[in-house]
């Protein structure tokens, strides 16, 4: 069996997206900035894509800026809010401890320029507390940036409440919605979102493209200077094949979202029930307020990396923590943020399933993870210490 269970790292491109890209490369290869008809036909496709994407999140087309992906959109949103804030003497930003590194590292950079950053606790369930957010905002707060859904543990934040609170206090609200767009209903007006980041390769579109929604009236700052593309907010000839692929992928994913979520939630809960049978294991993040495709477990006494390698040999592609942290020795900052200690965080497994997963595949995952965990424990010195009482079990 071959099961791809790492959809939070990237998704396989849909045929629809591939076809849209091929169509563009063959038939709409002109430069959208050119005035002759070959260019103008490309420009039309660019604006069609913008219109399509805007509609799906209830934005206006001119509120959509195409970027090279989620990371760039996060950087641009945060820089914009920081520059607006700085002009007014507001240099305080509120975020959360388990944001993606595209957000956290950008905030860290701003610290060197005099910004003060408050990172909210995400508690054991991986969800921020709205009252704590209200207490954290100050007169000099210029931005609240909280992700819609976490990429490692899949927990979903109370976005509408956060948006309403920010609106009430006159603070800009940005959300990294890379794991949510195409997977959860989003309405930027209803949820009072000022800026939102998305990435095509998380919803069956191509890599290296994404978009930033920026509510009209907010003076968006560009990260890349040059030509007048994207209304002077993002220079460089547009990656039209990728943009057309992204729009086609999002249209298709969004149309079937409810059906996909219903199916994935059933499989997710089957996986959670099955993996909970493994002794000294625990689900990471809230069981209910989470993405339908996310299962994240910690198993005491093992190394996540060894687990991944052995699962790969059995045809299962999964991740421990996030793609950015596997490879590095540091345990995932997300798992640490929900209170997992280093040893336990190291023995973690993230399964992010796609809509095509079957019950049989879920059962195959459960039996193989159970076997591999037992096998790894059979020669783990940490497990021996736990069993002989030299160490105390945590889970
Ligand atoms: C993948 C991801 C990103 C980065 O998006 P890229 O398009 O790969 O730059 C940012 N935030 C979250 C939550 C993600 O899952």
């Amino acid at each position: 069996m071959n099961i791809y269970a790492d959809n939070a790292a990237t998704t396989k491109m849909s045929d629809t997206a591939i076809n849209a890209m091929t169509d563009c490369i063959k038939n709409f290869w002109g430069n959208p900035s050119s005035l002759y008809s070959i260019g103008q036909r490309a420009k039309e496709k660019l604006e069609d894509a913008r219109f399509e994407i805007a509609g799906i999140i209830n934005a206006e087309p001119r509120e959509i800026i195409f970027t090279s992906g989620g990371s760039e959109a996060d950087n641009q949103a945060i820089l914009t809010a920081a520059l607006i804030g700085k002009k007014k003497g507001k240099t305080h930003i509120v975020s959360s401890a388990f944001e993606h590194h595209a957000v956290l590292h950008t905030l860290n950079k701003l610290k060197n320029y005099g910004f003060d950053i408050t990172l909210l606790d995400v508690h054991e369930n991986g969800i921020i507390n709205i009252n704590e957010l209200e207490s954290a905002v100050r007169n000099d707060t210029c931005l609240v940036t909280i992700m819609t859904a976490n990429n490692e543990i899949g927990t979903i934040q109370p976005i509408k409440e956060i948006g309403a609170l920010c609106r009430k206090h006159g603070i800009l609200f940005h959300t990294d919605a890379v794991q949510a767009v195409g997977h959860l209903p989003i309405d930027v007006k209803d949820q009072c979102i000022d800026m939102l980041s998305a990435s095509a390769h998380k919803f069956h579109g191509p890599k290296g493209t994404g978009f930033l929604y920026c509510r009209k009236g907010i003076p968006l700052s560009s990260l890349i200077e040059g030509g007048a593309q994207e209304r002077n907010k993002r220079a460089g000839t547009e990656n039209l094949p990728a943009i057309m692929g992204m729009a086609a992928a999002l249209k298709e994913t969004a149309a079937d979202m409810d059906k996909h979520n219903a199916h994935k939630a059933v499989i997710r809960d089957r996986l959670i029930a099955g993996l909970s049978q493994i002794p000294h294991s625990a689900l990471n993040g809230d069981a209910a307020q989470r993405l339908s495709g996310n299962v994240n477990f910690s198993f005491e006494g093992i190394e996540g990396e060894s687990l991944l390698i052995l699962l790969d040999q059995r045809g299962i592609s999964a991740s421990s923590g996030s793609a950015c942290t596997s490879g590095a020795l540091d345990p995932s900052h997300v798992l640490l943020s929900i209170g997992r200690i280093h040893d336990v965080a190291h023995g973690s497994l993230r399964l992010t399933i796609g809509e095509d997963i079957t019950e049989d595949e879920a059962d195959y995952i459960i039996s193989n993870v159970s076997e591999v965990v037992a096998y790894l424990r059979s020669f783990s010195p940490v497990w021996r210490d736990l069993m002989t009482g030299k160490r105390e079990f945590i889970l």
Side-chain angles (χ1 to χ4, degrees):
M1 250 200 231
N2 261 313
I3 306 169
Y4 181 72
D6 204 13
N7 285 277
T10 199
T11 57
K12 187 180 172 190
M13 269 182 71
S14 62
D15 289 342
T16 312
I18 295 170
N19 291 339
M21 289 186 80
T22 313
D23 181 37
C24 177
I25 291 164
K26 285 186 182 161
N27 304 314
F28 302 97
W29 47 267
N31 188 325
S33 298
S34 300
L35 294 179
Y36 41 77
S37 48
I38 291 175
Q40 287 310 295
R41 281 204 293 275
K43 173 84 178 165
E44 243 170 62
K45 288 292 177 185
L46 180 69
E47 296 315 318
D48 286 351
R50 201 187 307 280
F51 179 86
E52 195 70 65
I53 288 169
I56 291 169
I57 62 167
N58 195 23
E60 289 171 29
R62 66 185 176 126
E63 296 175 316
I64 304 294
I65 297 291
F66 294 122
T67 68
S68 67
S71 300
E72 184 186 326
D74 283 342
N75 275 257
Q76 189 168 8
I78 294 169
L79 178 85
T80 291
L83 292 179
I84 295 170
K86 190 109 185 174
K87 268 195 194 153
K88 300 180 184 162
K90 294 184 172 190
T91 55
H92 177 236
I93 297 174
V94 180
S95 187
S96 83
F98 75 169
E99 295 296 311
H100 190 272
H101 283 142
V103 168
L104 288 178
H105 291 177
T106 305
L107 295 177
N108 260 336
K109 195 159 79 177
L110 286 174
K111 273 192 199 164
N112 302 326
Y113 297 93
F115 282 82
D116 189 14
I117 315 292
T118 300
L119 295 183
L120 295 174
D121 192 348
V122 293
H123 306 280
E124 216 184 300
N125 62 358
I127 299 172
I128 68 142
N129 178 304
I130 199 84
N131 298 323
E132 287 172 17
L133 172 61
E134 180 129 44
S135 318
V137 300
R138 316 190 307 218
N139 288 336
D140 64 340
T141 306
C142 61
L143 170 70
V144 169
T145 172
I146 307 271
M147 68 202 315
T148 304
N150 185 270
N151 48 306
E152 291 190 38
I153 58 173
T155 51
I156 300 167
Q157 304 302 321
I159 292 303
K160 190 172 172 172
E161 287 75 9
I162 300 171
L165 192 145
C166 290
R167 207 46 67 86
K168 185 176 98 186
H169 290 271
I171 299 166
L172 288 176
F173 172 43
H174 164 252
T175 186
D176 174 336
V178 172
Q179 292 292 335
V181 171
H183 305 282
L184 292 176
I186 289 177
D187 181 325
V188 292
K189 291 196 176 75
D190 179 56
Q191 293 172 300
C192 299
I193 298 168
D194 293 314
M195 291 185 278
L196 171 147
S197 310
S199 173
H201 76 104
K202 304 291 175 73
F203 52 75
H204 303 292
K207 291 165 187 61
T209 198
F211 67 88
L212 172 63
Y213 152 79
C214 182
R215 184 166 59 79
K216 62 174 185 277
I218 298 172
L220 189 62
S221 299
S222 58
L223 292 179
I224 299 173
E225 304 297 339
Q229 292 91 353
E230 299 298 288
R231 297 179 24 260
N232 278 313
K233 304 305 182 195
R234 208 282 184 175
T237 304
E238 301 86 347
N239 186 355
L240 188 59
I243 291 167
M244 282 176 65
M246 167 162 66
L250 185 55
K251 185 180 178 184
E252 186 180 51
T253 313
D256 286 334
M257 187 162 63
D258 293 344
K259 195 178 86 189
H260 291 161
N261 277 334
H263 172 65
K264 284 193 290 182
V266 168
I267 303 289
R268 174 198 65 192
D269 294 342
R270 190 180 183 95
L271 285 166
I272 292 175
L275 296 176
S276 300
Q277 300 299 311
I278 298 176
H280 304 286
S281 68
L283 178 71
N284 292 311
D286 197 80
Q289 273 298 103
R290 72 190 297 136
L291 292 170
S292 63
N294 181 291
V295 175
N296 189 314
F297 262 84
S298 290
F299 305 107
E300 210 161 355
I302 63 154
E303 283 284 341
E305 279 70 26
S306 327
L307 179 59
L308 291 191
I309 292 162
L310 293 175
L311 288 178
D312 183 36
Q313 288 173 1
R314 292 160 180 245
I316 300 168
S317 313
S319 157
S320 70
S322 79
C324 323
T325 50
S326 34
L329 275 177
D330 287 342
S332 138
H333 71 286
V334 173
L335 296 176
L336 296 180
S337 76
I338 58 165
R340 295 285 180 228
I341 65 157
H342 282 230
D343 281 0
V344 172
H346 266 306
S348 299
L349 174 71
R350 178 186 72 180
L351 298 160
T352 43
I353 54 178
E355 49 273 9
D356 51 358
I357 188 153
T358 65
E359 279 187 5
D360 283 350
E361 287 174 334
D363 293 342
Y364 180 84
I365 293 175
I366 294 166
S367 61
N368 279 279
V369 172
S370 308
E371 274 173 37
V372 172
V373 168
Y375 169 72
L376 288 171
R377 281 174 172 172
S378 71
F379 54 84
S380 150
V382 175
W383 184 252
R384 192 185 54 219
D385 287 354
L386 288 164
M387 293 306 281
T388 55
K390 271 197 204 150
R391 250 180 210 252
E392 298 242 335
F393 278 109
I394 292 161
L395 303 180

